[in-house]
Amino acid sequence: MEAEPKVEPPSDQWADMAWTMLTTVRRQSPLIQCITNFVSMDLMANTLLSAGASPAMLHTLEEIPHFTPHVHALCLNVGTLSADWLPSMKAAANFAFNSSKPWVLDPVAAGASGFRLNACLELIQLKPTVIRGNGSEILALSKASVQPTKGVDSSHESTDAIEAAKSLAQATGAIVAVSGAIDIVTDGKRVIGAHNGVAMMQKITATGCSVTALIAAFVAVDPSNAFEATALALSVFGVAGEMGMRLAKGPASLRMHLIDSLYGLDEATLISHVKITTFCD
Ligand SMILES: Nc1ncnc2c1ncn2[C@@H]1O[C@H](COP(=O)(O)OP(=O)(O)O)[C@@H](O)[C@H]1O
Ligand SMILES: Cc1ncsc1CCOP(=O)(O)O
Ligand SMILES: [Mg+2]
């Protein structure tokens, strides 16, 4: 049976956890290695900096044995993948896994081609801590099938992919997050929804990539609670979008105000806006 959202009052517990997590990221400033697409590098690095984390966009294979063992988390993103970048991604994932560091996969446009789908499936074999995609990406990964897509954009609602996300989580052991109007997070059993954000975030390229990197930063400071950290990162990014939208005139100014809002988020604002609810079967 399709899961139905059970709307609950804003949870004090989630809100308090969001503030604790954000202040921990600000205090610890985890080092996050990002091997990501050319489109997202700027916004992703600035998102991490605004949240208090430290981004490093290093992708050369020769550097990975020296650098990756020292990072606090790794973010891999296949958005502009080419065959020569895949060995770096695999090596970095292996180093992260072998040094017990969390790593997060963003399977951008996973179903758009056999090359991209196979690359994602091979990376998933290397045990990501979290997989974060939009509805179409999570459906393609769960079915392991190439299908007509709108490329990097989703043609599905996040809620269309709840069962696919649960299956993917069960099959891989990863936390799976599906972004959209409601951000879904599952460990294969539990399903929660983060109800923050504004629709105009879809009109800024690389917001999905950037929230995946923010998930890596949150999981870096609380690796044993990756499920909660993932939902909290999605919610915090969404609240920054909501605050930014109050000042924005369109996507370009929202991009700027989102970053400023994330940087300036205070306890009262965050606690009064975080909205995370349980989904029941
Ligand atoms: N309709 C919406 N309402 C509110 N927030 C949204 C909406 N669509 C996307 N978002 C937010 O925008 C960000 C990017 O999500 P999404 O567009 O699904 O990712 P992608 O760019 O990878 O396709 C996420 O933080 C998500 O919560
Ligand atoms: C437009 C584009 N093309 C290849 S990667 C990319 C960025 C995708 O970013 P997001 O998945 O966050 O929308
Ligand atoms: Mg994306």
Side-chain angles (χ1 to χ4, degrees):
M1 202 169 76
E2 195 69 26
E4 288 291 335
K6 183 181 143 198
V7 178
E8 297 170 348
S11 153
D12 287 350
Q13 201 189 346
W14 281 110
D16 289 344
M17 285 162 67
W19 179 245
T20 301
M21 188 71 78
L22 182 59
T23 52
T24 306
V25 171
R26 287 173 175 171
R27 191 176 61 252
Q28 293 187 4
S29 191
L31 173 59
I32 312 300
Q33 182 182 5
C34 307
I35 307 184
T36 190
N37 66 75
F38 299 112
V39 183
S40 70
M41 285 179 183
D42 182 318
L43 187 62
M44 184 182 286
N46 280 305
T47 296
L48 287 169
L49 285 168
S50 307
S54 183
M57 322 316 259
L58 275 70
H59 64 257
T60 299
L61 184 57
E62 288 76 5
E63 290 183 298
I64 284 166
H66 303 279
F67 187 70
T68 307
H70 304 295
V71 305
H72 298 110
L74 170 73
C75 176
L76 297 184
N77 179 306
V78 300
T80 52
L81 187 66
S82 53
D84 51 334
W85 277 45
L86 194 50
S88 297
M89 292 193 182
K90 288 183 178 173
N94 272 318
F95 274 106
F97 182 75
N98 291 331
S99 48
S100 302
K101 305 288 171 54
W103 79 271
V104 179
L105 176 66
D106 191 324
V108 179
S113 72
F115 167 70
R116 198 173 275 263
L117 180 66
N118 287 334
C120 289
L121 295 175
E122 286 170 23
L123 289 167
I124 286 171
Q125 296 295 316
L126 305 177
K127 297 270 166 222
T129 315
V130 183
I131 303 168
R132 194 298 308 172
N134 62 38
S136 296
E137 290 159 352
I138 298 303
L139 283 162
L141 279 186
S142 181
K143 292 183 195 152
S145 71
V146 175
Q147 41 201 227
T149 69
K150 275 167 62 188
V152 304
D153 291 330
S154 189
S155 33
H156 298 88
E157 300 295 329
S158 56
T159 44
D160 297 338
I162 292 176
E163 290 309 316
K166 283 173 79 174
S167 310
L168 187 62
Q170 285 160 10
T172 61
I175 303 301
V176 176
V178 193
S179 57
I182 305 170
D183 300 317
I184 305 294
V185 182
T186 181
D187 60 3
K189 286 193 194 133
R190 296 175 289 172
V191 182
I192 52 179
H195 301 250
N196 296 107
V198 292
M200 200 178 282
M201 290 163 76
Q202 291 172 291
K203 297 292 180 193
I204 308 168
T205 193
T207 46
C209 306
S210 299
V211 79
T212 303
L214 191 63
I215 290 169
F218 276 39
V219 176
V221 300
D222 197 0
S224 51
N225 291 305
F227 175 72
E228 290 81 0
T230 299
L232 292 166
L234 286 156
S235 181
V236 166
F237 193 69
V239 172
E242 291 169 20
M243 295 304 109
M245 197 63 220
R246 293 183 178 184
L247 301 167
K249 296 199 174 97
S253 48
L254 177 57
R255 186 182 193 278
M256 177 180 78
H257 289 301
L258 190 158
I259 294 293
D260 281 356
S261 298
L262 181 56
Y263 178 77
L265 261 184
D266 61 53
E267 183 173 7
T269 306
L270 185 60
I271 286 185
S272 59
H273 285 83
V274 164
K275 189 173 178 198
I276 296 176
T277 63
T278 308
F279 273 65
C280 299
D281 286 324

